[in-house]
Amino acid sequence: MSDRSRYPELVDGKPAVDLDSEKYVKLWHGPQHPGITGNMSLELILCGDEVVDCKTHVGYLHRGFEKLMERRTWIQNFPVVCRIAVPEPAFNEYLYAAGVEELAGIRPPERAQWIRNLNLEMMRLASYMAWLGGQAGAFGNNTIGQWTITHRDYLLDLFEEMTGGRIYHMYMLPGGVRSGLPDGFEGRLEAVLQKCEKLLKEIELVLLNNSVFKARAVGLGYIDKDMIDRYGITGPNQRACGVKRDLRKDAPYLVYDRLDFEIITGTASDAYERTWVRYREMHQCIDLCRQIMARMPKEGPFHEPLPNVLHWRIPPGQTYVKAECTRGEKGYYLVSDGSLYPRRICIRGPSYTHAFPVMEKLAIGTDIADIAGLMVSLHTYPPEIER
Amino acid sequence: MPLKDVIAPFYVWKRAFEKPYTTAKPIEERPGAASYRGFHTNDMALCVGCGTCETICQNEAIDMVPVPGIETTAKDSGLRPMVDNGRCCWCALCVDICTTGSLRLTNEYIWVSTDSDGFRFIPGTGDNPWDDKALGYRRDPGYRLMDYERQDMAMLTPEESARSFLEVVKGYSAEQARKEAERCVDCGICIATCPAHMDIPEYIKAVRDGDFETGLRLLYRTNPMPATCGRICTHRCEEVCSVGHMGDPVAIRWLKRYICDQVPESDYADILRDQSTSNGRKVAIIGAGPGGLSAAYYLTRLGYAVTLYESQEKGGGMLRYGVPSYRLPYDQLDKDIDYILSLGATIHYNTRVGRELRFPELMADFDAIFFSVGLSDPYGLGVEGEDHPRVLSGLKVLEDVTHDRDPDVGRRVAVIGGGNVAMDAARVSRRLGAEVTVLYRRRIEDMPADPEEIHEAQAEQVKFVTQAIPVRVEEGPSPRQVNIRWGEAEMVADEKGGRPRPVLMEDRIHTETYDSIISAIGQGGDYEFLSDEYADRVEMKRGKVIANEYRQTTIPKLFVGGDIANNTADAISAIADGHQAAVGIDHFLSSGS
């Protein structure tokens, strides 16, 4: 990276690209591209098939959630937040609920905390399933995506009976959850977990021990350890670099402090290592789901009664609540001025960091064919960038 | 490159023989889960059109619309939710907040239609293909988005209340009032039911906001006796409160009282700013009860010179002389009356029209007359011996107590009747130290008295004997005593579908001795004051004066209101009559019709 002799000259820190010189090609990667995890685009400057500059463009999914929420009552925001990260809405639901509970001084019942924890771990597994298909697909292994998306659907079936919805569950609302688990849920969950375990074993063989995948992913998108704090990189992207940080351990929420698990880390810090860390975290999710099912209270209240939500005023105050989502630290900053509406809600999604400064840096020097694989290896969700 | 990395991928070749996972629609069906959030359905008969679903919907996907075959009634807005599936996000908050539990989701999620406008539909009409499909999401009883329990009202214990004339109900604390006000869902169904059509959701909002000045202004828009009504109103609003379908109705009456309790009378003038300029016209009001006072207030505000004629020594009518002070303390009644009179109306106490002055004189002297004289003529028991000196009238007993005279009820009292006057007479007698038995022809649930009054009377150890019909009043063992013969009755279903009738069982007659019998079986109007000249010209039906929507009688300049002109015969109806009559008089005198 230090040798810039082949790259365009930097003027004020920006590459001076003269497209008329016919030495460079500008290529838009996205906003509609299977290698991009949603509607987002990378403006690439290529020299041959090598990327010499990359600029991330967003705005295709902007729905103005943060502003929208200032015009809705506290309860009306509950169905809004899940849409902020489409493939894993549950983390948004949890954080919004947790933030409101903190401001309003509500303590959800014990059982609700266990159910929420189960929901989040199932969500993590489902989200990784979708990502795994994308990661394999970005390197041409499209069949794997069909298997993982199917298994994600098995998990969505479970969400459907648990929450009433497949994608947007709208289940964890301030005060707890909307219902207990349906009868016989544990057995059906275990059956799906076993299916997932079987699939993961096969994926280890077909993807992680695949010479083609290794040849392309090893060494791709190396994240240097000193970038971690400078860029604010979190989640598996950070752990694959050997930094042992995980909010589930460092700042335990819900019932994580009562579950047995270790932070999974890697060392090589490239696309392959990140895949490997996530792969092992999927096994960890399965294990955590089993632990939760074995230990959770089966009876008891699952929701702390709320006052009439139509006139629900939250005492003035502010809070920042955070949780470890699949991609790293996700945080909700909530401010209440004591009225019926939030004064300000700001959402910190890890995708912003990973898809903007990190991606723009890692792309340089990468072959155009690996851009999709690199992008997916950072695991970003564009809707989370455009709140 | 390790050899394993070349061979390993081939281990999964068996997957090539696995069956596809997909559902082969339309050959195969996959129903939604038992709690799936699919298309809306609505139990049209259960729904009351409160519109809470519309309020909570963050996508504005629900509109309340009229539906053929659904009538507007006292308990039903007549509207039903229409769902726009182009906006709905199936969050089901509408289901969770539904006050009746009528709105639910089915587990149907596929819908094909050639009608391009069909995405907007009214759930529950039976026209939607999924209306007969299995139900999906329903609110789990383990969670709720509103408070179904009413804030407890602090009251005297029955032991304390049975011994004193102190007000039984103590009123809400600030915290309780705010919490109670938060329970309101702003549906406004109560407004239509309230005879005075008070701005109930708005003044409840004022309680939530702690803005009592706005609250007081809202109260006086439609009711100039809120401190009174906040205590003794029959609160039919609460009977239709949509929150009451699954929980306790909002304590609308107590919240009204709370507003009045927060504002001292000395601040009323500043807050209400009721000054008006005189329009030079004069209106006479006969009877300073709730109807007359209400008319006086609104007429004064319109600039009329109002003169009230009251036969008693103080104003308030039945509120003062028929309602005991433990339900309505006199200072609260005076607060309302004093403010109304402070606006400039002239009042002549101890002046009975027909005795101190003649009705035709009023007709000649004033531009219009409103009369609301109330029902003051107690019905007799209609049995032999009823003019025994120990048979007292309920109204007379209550009036004596107001005047601080001993009604001399004795130690053992029988009260005959089941209305509020009977309850009041019974409870007053308890407070005077008597042992009280209420004899009523029908069952407890048939009693016209407020249920609260019945419960409080029971708590105060008033004995209830129901299905008891008085047969004869006889001389008692001593001159200070009286015997009553009464027979047990059986309830016989009415062939015409009316309420069951009590029929005397001749073989079950009892005789009991009491110190007094208080008769409280209702009262009629006394229209003697109208004088022969006008009595015939005022049209009446079953003892009540007939009036149009402006409370105008068949004599154009004569308006009427209160118990003598409506069938509900309560304070709030009289107040509403007074307001309507004021509007009617103004209209009449301005336009001449």
Side-chain angles (χ1 to χ4, degrees):
Chain A
M1 213 59 68
S2 56
D3 174 22
R4 286 199 59 88
S5 58
R6 289 165 57 215
Y7 299 113
E9 205 182 322
L10 291 177
V11 176
D12 294 337
K14 288 179 183 166
V17 177
D18 178 10
L19 290 174
D20 293 337
S21 69
E22 298 190 356
K23 195 177 166 192
Y24 306 106
V25 173
K26 182 188 271 192
L27 190 75
W28 285 80
H29 188 91
Q32 315 294 346
H33 190 280
I36 297 278
T37 49
N39 301 105
M40 189 184 102
S41 77
L42 300 173
E43 182 189 356
L44 303 172
I45 307 286
L46 302 171
C47 181
D49 63 354
E50 194 170 325
V51 176
V52 297
D53 192 24
C54 169
K55 193 164 163 44
T56 304
H57 289 272
V58 294
Y60 308 99
L61 285 170
H62 186 69
R63 285 160 286 175
F65 287 117
E66 291 179 355
K67 200 72 199 162
L68 212 63
M69 287 197 276
E70 291 171 16
R71 309 286 171 90
R72 278 163 169 70
T73 60
W74 291 96
I75 195 69
Q76 285 182 327
N77 283 326
F78 150 70
V80 171
V81 289
C82 49
R83 282 146 236 281
I84 292 169
V86 184
E88 45 174 78
F91 292 94
N92 293 282
E93 285 182 23
Y94 162 65
L95 285 169
Y96 180 72
V100 172
E101 282 157 9
E102 197 176 313
L103 288 174
I106 298 170
R107 287 175 64 87
E110 171 83 2
R111 187 166 164 226
Q113 299 291 61
W114 284 89
I115 295 176
R116 283 176 172 188
N117 213 142
L118 175 70
N119 188 298
L120 290 188
E121 284 308 313
M122 284 167 62
M123 185 81 263
R124 191 186 307 278
L125 184 59
S127 176
Y128 276 152
M129 282 289 180
W131 159 83
L132 189 54
Q135 185 69 81
F139 291 118
N141 297 328
N142 293 320
T143 318
I144 294 175
Q146 295 181 14
W147 302 340
T148 59
I149 293 296
T150 300
H151 282 70
R152 172 174 174 268
D153 260 301
Y154 291 145
L155 286 160
L156 298 189
D157 286 347
L158 293 174
F159 279 123
E160 183 182 329
E161 57 170 306
M162 178 186 195
T163 69
R166 294 175 70 79
I167 305 291
Y168 295 135
H169 312 143
M170 297 181 272
Y171 181 60
M172 286 183 257
L173 80 171
V177 292
R178 283 174 115 172
S179 62
L181 299 180
D183 291 339
F185 183 80
E186 186 170 2
R188 292 190 290 280
L189 172 65
E190 180 54 34
V192 171
L193 294 180
Q194 283 176 11
K195 274 186 196 170
C196 291
E197 262 181 336
K198 179 168 172 275
L199 175 78
L200 287 179
K201 271 184 200 155
E202 291 176 355
I203 285 186
E204 187 175 344
L205 292 171
V206 79
L207 185 71
L208 292 163
N209 281 324
N210 184 330
S211 53
V212 178
F213 179 69
K214 271 188 172 176
R216 294 190 64 181
V218 171
L220 175 68
Y222 174 75
I223 296 177
D224 199 78
K225 202 165 185 170
D226 71 273
M227 280 174 71
I228 301 292
D229 284 348
R230 216 146 43 81
Y231 283 75
I233 299 168
T234 53
N237 294 345
Q238 158 204 262
R239 292 194 283 274
C241 165
V243 179
K244 203 169 180 178
R245 277 190 208 148
D246 190 323
L247 288 175
R248 291 177 291 174
K249 272 279 184 223
D250 302 338
Y253 50 97
L254 295 173
V255 294
Y256 280 113
D257 54 349
R258 281 176 270 176
L259 300 173
D260 302 321
F261 67 102
E262 290 301 323
I263 298 176
I264 291 166
T265 54
T267 49
S269 199
D270 56 13
Y272 183 81
E273 193 76 357
R274 293 197 278 275
T275 309
W276 185 242
V277 165
R278 291 194 183 104
Y279 172 79
R280 284 190 292 155
E281 286 194 3
M282 290 170 88
H283 280 292
Q284 190 181 55
C285 288
I286 294 173
D287 180 46
L288 287 174
C289 286
R290 285 181 177 145
Q291 285 187 35
I292 294 166
M293 282 316 295
R295 297 182 197 177
M296 77 187 302
K298 302 286 188 285
E299 298 293 326
F302 49 81
H303 190 263
E304 178 69 21
L306 300 179
N308 182 357
V309 291
L310 299 176
H311 308 307
W312 196 17
R313 290 167 191 273
I314 305 282
Q318 55 180 330
T319 184
Y320 178 75
V321 284
K322 57 191 176 179
E324 186 77 21
C325 71
T326 52
R327 293 144 294 120
E329 176 178 335
K330 179 146 194 144
Y332 266 60
Y333 174 60
L334 286 90
V335 184
S336 171
D337 57 7
S339 71
L340 294 167
Y341 309 93
R343 176 67 190 85
R344 179 81 172 98
I345 294 180
C346 181
I347 299 143
R348 189 249 184 239
S351 298
Y352 189 92
T353 314
H354 297 160
F356 262 100
V358 177
M359 181 63 202
E360 285 179 1
K361 181 171 169 61
L362 298 185
I364 293 174
T366 307
D367 280 353
I368 175 71
D370 289 334
I371 284 290
L374 170 62
M375 181 82 212
V376 178
S377 85
L378 294 173
H379 199 187
T380 57
Y381 289 149
E384 192 180 70
I385 302 171
E386 307 174 36
R387 292 104 43 200
Chain B
M1 184 188 297
L3 188 60
K4 190 191 168 199
D5 288 355
V6 180
I7 298 168
F10 294 98
Y11 277 103
V12 296
W13 62 271
K14 275 184 275 182
R15 280 215 167 255
F17 298 98
E18 287 201 3
K19 280 186 187 163
Y21 303 114
T22 41
T23 303
K25 186 82 184 163
I27 302 160
E28 290 172 9
E29 291 292 342
R30 181 196 175 281
S35 65
Y36 187 74
R37 295 193 303 266
F39 301 129
H40 287 77
T41 186
N42 191 12
D43 184 337
M44 293 296 233
L46 196 57
C47 179
V48 296
C50 71
T52 315
C53 47
E54 184 188 35
T55 310
I56 202 168
C57 182
Q58 57 98 13
N59 277 331
E60 296 176 3
I62 297 180
D63 286 315
M64 300 303 290
V65 295
V67 175
I70 304 282
E71 297 294 329
T72 304
T73 66
K75 292 183 169 190
D76 189 337
S77 72
L79 304 176
R80 292 293 179 266
M82 180 175 75
V83 176
D84 181 344
N85 264 353
R87 305 184 69 106
C88 179
C89 73
W90 288 277
C91 67
L93 282 179
C94 50
V95 175
D96 291 349
I97 200 78
C98 178
T99 54
T100 58
S102 67
L103 194 63
R104 280 127 345 146
L105 300 180
T106 62
N107 69 353
E108 185 61 41
Y109 57 94
I110 291 177
W111 175 24
V112 182
S113 171
T114 52
D115 176 10
S116 59
D117 284 328
F119 62 92
R120 275 163 48 207
F121 65 95
I122 298 167
T125 51
D127 299 336
N128 307 305
W130 57 85
D131 276 341
D132 57 342
K133 290 281 164 67
L135 283 178
Y137 181 83
R138 278 150 286 181
R139 182 178 67 87
D140 193 299
Y143 111 103
R144 57 174 175 71
L145 297 182
M146 64 166 100
D147 204 349
Y148 290 123
E149 281 102 47
R150 178 183 279 212
Q151 290 291 308
D152 284 335
M153 174 54 84
M155 295 171 83
L156 295 183
T157 63
E159 293 75 39
E160 289 169 326
S161 69
R163 278 188 274 117
S164 84
F165 280 86
L166 286 178
E167 190 172 14
V168 176
V169 176
K170 292 181 176 172
Y172 276 146
S173 70
E175 176 72 4
Q176 283 179 312
R178 191 185 53 73
K179 281 191 173 165
E180 187 61 26
E182 274 181 6
R183 298 179 59 232
C184 173
V185 295
D186 298 345
C187 67
I189 285 181
C190 45
I191 302 176
T193 304
C194 173
H197 307 308
M198 296 192 72
D199 306 299
I200 297 166
E202 283 81 3
Y203 73 67
I204 291 182
K205 179 177 183 297
V207 176
R208 280 202 297 277
D209 297 343
D211 182 358
F212 306 117
E213 296 192 1
T214 302
L216 194 75
R217 278 193 283 270
L218 286 164
L219 294 177
Y220 270 82
R221 276 188 52 192
T222 45
N223 182 346
M225 305 195 76
T228 301
C229 286
R231 285 169 169 79
I232 52 88
C233 184
T234 41
H235 60 82
R236 268 168 278 156
C237 48
E238 294 179 23
E239 284 164 27
V240 300
C241 176
S242 60
V243 179
H245 287 276
M246 295 214 281
D248 304 327
V250 176
I252 300 171
R253 179 174 57 167
W254 299 147
L255 291 173
K256 178 159 55 223
R257 166 189 168 142
Y258 181 76
I259 295 176
C260 296
D261 285 356
Q262 303 317 302
V263 186
E265 197 201 324
S266 52
D267 292 355
Y268 272 33
D270 282 344
I271 295 168
L272 296 171
R273 283 184 231 107
D274 277 328
Q275 284 75 26
S276 55
T277 46
S278 168
N279 64 13
R281 292 199 171 99
K282 294 191 298 175
V283 179
I285 293 174
I286 306 172
L293 288 165
S294 168
Y297 174 76
Y298 290 107
L299 287 167
T300 317
R301 278 209 329 192
L302 290 166
Y304 291 90
V306 174
T307 309
L308 288 122
Y309 296 95
E310 169 56 49
S311 64
Q312 294 276 10
E313 64 187 24
K314 283 182 173 175
M318 283 294 260
L319 296 173
R320 187 181 300 275
Y321 297 102
V323 180
S325 61
Y326 57 84
R327 285 176 64 208
L328 174 60
Y330 300 126
D331 60 336
Q332 295 301 323
L333 179 62
D334 288 338
K335 188 179 181 182
D336 284 341
I337 297 175
D338 290 350
Y339 179 69
I340 294 171
L341 297 181
S342 75
L343 299 180
T346 313
I347 182 159
H348 299 287
Y349 295 112
N350 297 316
T351 307
R352 181 184 285 273
V353 176
R355 191 177 62 197
E356 272 77 21
L357 79 168
R358 291 186 59 244
F359 184 72
E361 289 169 30
L362 294 181
M363 287 296 275
D365 290 351
F366 289 90
D367 296 308
I369 294 176
F370 174 75
F371 71 107
S372 174
V373 295
L375 304 172
S376 53
D377 210 7
Y379 293 146
L381 289 173
V383 298
E384 199 180 317
E386 62 172 301
D387 41 10
H388 189 282
R390 296 310 298 159
V391 177
L392 311 174
S393 133
L395 278 181
K396 182 74 175 35
V397 169
L398 295 172
E399 193 182 321
D400 281 348
V401 170
T402 302
H403 284 299
D404 230 0
R405 294 191 293 251
D406 181 8
D408 187 23
V409 292
R411 308 302 300 173
R412 256 174 68 80
V413 174
V415 175
I416 297 171
N420 280 338
V421 172
M423 292 307 113
D424 288 338
R427 296 176 68 191
V428 159
S429 303
R430 274 298 288 151
R431 282 162 174 76
L432 295 171
E435 197 182 292
V436 183
T437 306
V438 170
L439 299 175
Y440 180 57
R441 309 163 61 81
R442 298 167 190 263
R443 300 161 301 182
I444 293 253
E445 59 264 39
D446 300 319
M447 284 190 168
D450 295 347
E452 292 147 350
E453 278 242 63
I454 298 169
H455 292 150
E456 286 170 24
Q458 285 171 326
E460 288 167 10
Q461 310 291 315
V462 172
K463 194 178 149 205
F464 282 74
V465 178
T466 51
Q467 288 167 249
I469 299 180
V471 181
R472 194 183 316 144
V473 177
E474 296 166 346
E475 288 295 333
S478 77
R480 302 251 329 130
Q481 286 176 309
V482 59
N483 280 0
I484 180 153
R485 279 173 72 80
W486 60 271
E488 290 180 31
E490 60 181 336
M491 301 304 287
V492 176
D494 187 67
E495 284 144 20
K496 291 176 193 159
R499 61 178 188 163
R501 277 180 307 114
V503 175
L504 183 70
M505 294 188 282
E506 301 283 354
D507 54 339
R508 303 233 184 128
I509 303 288
H510 307 265
T511 304
E512 278 165 7
T513 305
Y514 292 97
D515 293 344
S516 61
I517 294 170
I518 300 177
S519 160
I521 55 167
Q523 48 274 331
D526 178 358
Y527 303 106
E528 242 174 69
F529 71 94
L530 281 174
S531 75
D532 300 339
E533 195 179 330
Y534 291 99
D536 296 341
R537 287 170 56 196
V538 176
E539 196 185 326
M540 300 211 199
K541 192 177 175 188
R542 287 190 194 151
K544 303 239 174 182
V545 181
I546 302 280
N548 66 15
E549 61 185 302
Y550 289 114
R551 318 312 299 163
Q552 189 177 29
T553 64
T554 38
I555 300 174
K557 69 188 283 189
L558 187 60
F559 291 73
V560 68
D563 293 1
I564 52 168
N566 64 45
N567 290 324
T568 41
D570 54 13
I572 188 69
S573 302
I575 289 167
D577 286 351
H579 192 179
Q580 282 163 358
V583 174
I585 289 170
D586 188 45
H587 188 67
F588 167 68
L589 293 179
S590 319
S591 71
S593 65

